[in-house]
Amino acid sequence: MQYERPETLKDAVGLLSNSKGKAFVLAGGSDLLVRMRGEYIDPDVIVDIKNVKGLDQVAKTAKGFSIGAAVPCAELGENKALKKAWPGVVEAANLIGSKQIQGRCTISGNLCNASPAADSVPALVAAGAKAVIAGPGRKRRVAVEKIVTAPGKTCLEKGELIEAIELGKQAARSGDAYLRFIPRTEMDIAVASAGVNLTLDNKGVVKSARVALGAVAPTVVLVKDAARAIIGTKLEEEALDKMALACAKACNPIDDKRGTIEFREKVSGVLAQRAAKIAYARAGGK
Amino acid sequence: MSGIAVSTTINGDEVEYLCQADETLLDVLRDRLEMTGTKEGCGTGDCGACSVMVDGRLVCSCLVLGAEVQGSTIETIEGMADGADLHPLQQKFIEHAALQCGVCTPGFLIAAKDLLERNPNPTEEEIRFGLAGNLCRCTGYDKIVRAVQDAAQEMKG
Ligand SMILES: Cc1cc2nc3c(=O)[nH]c(=O)nc-3n(C[C@H](O)[C@H](O)[C@H](O)COP(=O)(O)OP(=O)(O)OC[C@H]3O[C@@H](n4cnc5c(N)ncnc54)[C@H](O)[C@@H]3O)c2cc1C
Ligand code: FES
Ligand code: FES
């Protein structure tokens, strides 16, 4: 196996494009190294992107935030401006693993690992985040919900990597939140999870919303019917019930010892309701 | 031996070594540099026995490649005591009998030191959450939490 640490994006793309055999991007390594050790993968080339200029930064841009692909999740929690604008995204990223894992893991890696239970992904999807993809061709921006195509699979082509995740400016009277259910209190994989982002009008009525569920289908799902159920409401009980029903319908979960289908369908709705209430309060609604 | 040449600073000393691409920092510390204070429990990021600081961040050294730390500053358990003077956390772990077999102890000490540096006055809950990435099969955690609380008191002076 060959280890490379390019310093420019162009070199990183070149290494990934021209490699013979299996090339893998290395960000925090908290999935990659575990899979190597378990002999699930046997890379020929590892391209460590942590020395690529600019990828280690969270930039405040005219449009919002750009989170470089090498920024560890611990740093997101320390970024006050990001936390203020997107508390749900930051709380999701900071649920990944332990303090030790946080010191290394990235949201781009969480996304590209393509686990249905990845914690930061439902929050990013709810937030309408976009992935900036660099590759041999033109740079492209893809909505986060379009990146993962199946468990363990992404739409990235050979030679491509995610350079950054972009979050817009949070509109006035908006809030986001993320919740997951795990059997323990920390260090566990989500059995069901929900991310909600919403914007209120000046009367406290939900004007727009995005609801995303994790761990209840082969990929994270954006549930448009769940958002529709709460748009035009102040999250009255009836609206929340409709939302939970829409969530249950959108589930296509596995049935395992950690959670039955029935359990996951029910809990995803409950989590979405609770996350919606938190997001609503964060948006200034009462 | 051929390999990747890496230069780092470990506990304040400049250290250079050669390693293979697939060797972890944990392997390098233990097997090449004979710094066996850092322990291996699981090798997959779950137990925290291998905790070290890399450029000021708490990490599992089993999930870092030896080659990745080129130019980095590393702190391990070997650098915690000042000669014969134990760090207050080390002293309190002894006083509270916060260890039995001791395999988890270096990892707990490194993680607890980072915790107290970031939050000198943690609640019990903050300590338990902060150390959730460190597993102990012997003590039942309670004595570890007490030792950290006591060390926090002492370090505040
Ligand atoms: C003990 C432990 C606990 C964990 N707990 C959780 C948890 O609670 N929740 C959770 O969601 N996950 C958890 N994880 C999984 C993992 O930590 C996360 O998925 C993490 O976000 C992965 O990020 P990374 O930077 O470490 O990825 P890496 O391991 O570096 O990469 C993961 C995959 O994505 C690819 N990749 C990485 N970055 C890019 C990029 N920029 N462009 C293209 N491809 C890329 C890599 O090639 C690899 O295939 C845990 C892991 C461990 C070991
Ligand atoms: S040996 Fe590294 S976390 Fe267990
Ligand atoms: S003292 Fe034995 S594992 Fe903690």
Side-chain angles (χ1 to χ4, degrees), chain B residues 48-118:
Chain B
C50 63
S51 298
V52 300
M53 301 297 292
V54 173
D55 296 327
R57 291 248 176 244
L58 179 67
V59 305
C60 294
S61 60
C62 70
L63 295 186
V64 177
L65 296 174
E68 279 180 75
V69 296
Q70 163 62 34
S72 293
T73 300
I74 296 163
E75 292 159 63
T76 72
I77 189 67
E78 283 87 351
M80 197 156 170
D82 183 6
D85 293 334
L86 296 182
H87 186 279
L89 275 163
Q90 292 173 305
Q91 190 59 44
K92 293 300 174 192
F93 265 58
I94 296 171
E95 286 170 20
H96 286 264
L99 64 149
Q100 290 177 31
C101 78
V103 168
C104 69
T105 313
F108 265 105
L109 287 168
I110 292 284
K113 182 164 175 269
D114 182 54
L115 175 82
L116 295 185
E117 277 165 8
R118 288 171 193 279

Side-chain angles (χ1 to χ4, degrees), chain A:
Chain A
M1 188 183 89
Q2 194 186 332
Y3 167 85
E4 298 289 345
R5 45 191 280 119
E7 290 178 3
T8 65
L9 209 49
K10 196 165 157 243
D11 287 348
V13 167
L15 283 161
L16 290 168
S17 313
N18 302 328
S19 65
K20 292 193 190 71
K22 288 162 285 180
F24 286 85
V25 171
L26 170 65
S30 61
D31 281 312
L32 194 70
L33 266 55
V34 173
R35 286 203 289 145
M36 275 164 60
R37 188 179 170 108
E39 296 181 357
Y40 298 104
I41 53 168
D42 183 16
D44 294 298
V45 186
I46 279 188
V47 180
D48 182 356
I49 58 170
K50 289 190 290 297
N51 302 286
V52 173
K53 243 194 244 96
L55 295 202
D56 61 344
Q57 311 259 324
V58 179
K60 232 179 143 173
T61 64
K63 287 194 209 127
F65 293 90
S66 173
I67 303 169
V71 177
C73 288
E75 207 174 310
L76 303 184
E78 293 160 8
N79 187 314
K80 290 205 179 80
L82 183 67
K83 216 169 157 175
K84 188 158 177 263
W86 295 103
V89 169
V90 174
E91 71 199 354
N94 286 168
L95 277 175
I96 298 173
S98 57
K99 288 275 181 289
Q100 285 87 337
I101 300 297
Q102 288 282 309
R104 235 37 209 167
C105 71
T106 64
I107 52 172
S108 295
N110 196 219
L111 176 60
C112 292
N113 190 55
S115 157
D119 278 308
S120 71
V121 180
L124 288 170
V125 169
K130 293 199 166 51
V132 184
I133 301 174
R138 281 182 60 193
K139 193 173 280 195
R140 53 191 184 115
R141 280 181 170 72
V142 177
V144 164
E145 60 269 27
K146 301 245 164 71
I147 297 288
V148 180
T149 53
K153 293 226 156 50
T154 68
C155 69
L156 298 189
E157 310 273 350
K158 184 171 165 86
E160 286 189 326
L161 70 135
I162 292 183
E163 172 186 338
I165 304 274
E166 289 181 343
L167 286 164
K169 269 206 188 116
Q170 186 60 293
R173 290 184 299 274
S174 297
D176 74 329
Y178 173 79
L179 291 173
R180 68 173 181 180
F181 175 83
I182 56 172
R184 307 175 66 215
T185 50
E186 68 286 303
M187 289 285 282
D188 208 343
I189 304 164
V191 175
S193 67
V196 176
N197 178 35
L198 46 77
T199 302
L200 311 180
D201 68 13
N202 53 17
K203 295 196 184 71
V205 174
V206 178
K207 199 163 71 172
S208 63
R210 282 168 72 90
V211 178
L213 301 179
V216 291
T219 64
V220 168
V221 275
L222 179 65
V223 190
K224 293 200 171 135
D225 285 344
R228 269 184 217 117
I230 56 169
I231 290 172
T233 78
K234 292 184 169 182
L235 301 191
E236 294 85 359
E237 208 164 305
E238 197 192 327
L240 288 172
D241 287 347
K242 257 171 110 178
M243 177 198 203
L245 206 65
C247 288
K249 270 200 190 138
C251 292
N252 174 18
I254 53 168
D255 199 3
D256 71 1
K257 64 174 191 292
R258 305 181 67 252
T260 59
I261 290 175
E262 196 188 356
F263 181 80
R264 287 176 201 255
E265 284 177 350
K266 167 99 187 166
V267 171
S268 65
V270 172
L271 292 172
Q273 290 177 330
R274 290 181 188 169
K277 284 187 194 164
I278 298 169
Y280 189 78
R282 284 178 177 164
K286 286 185 193 85

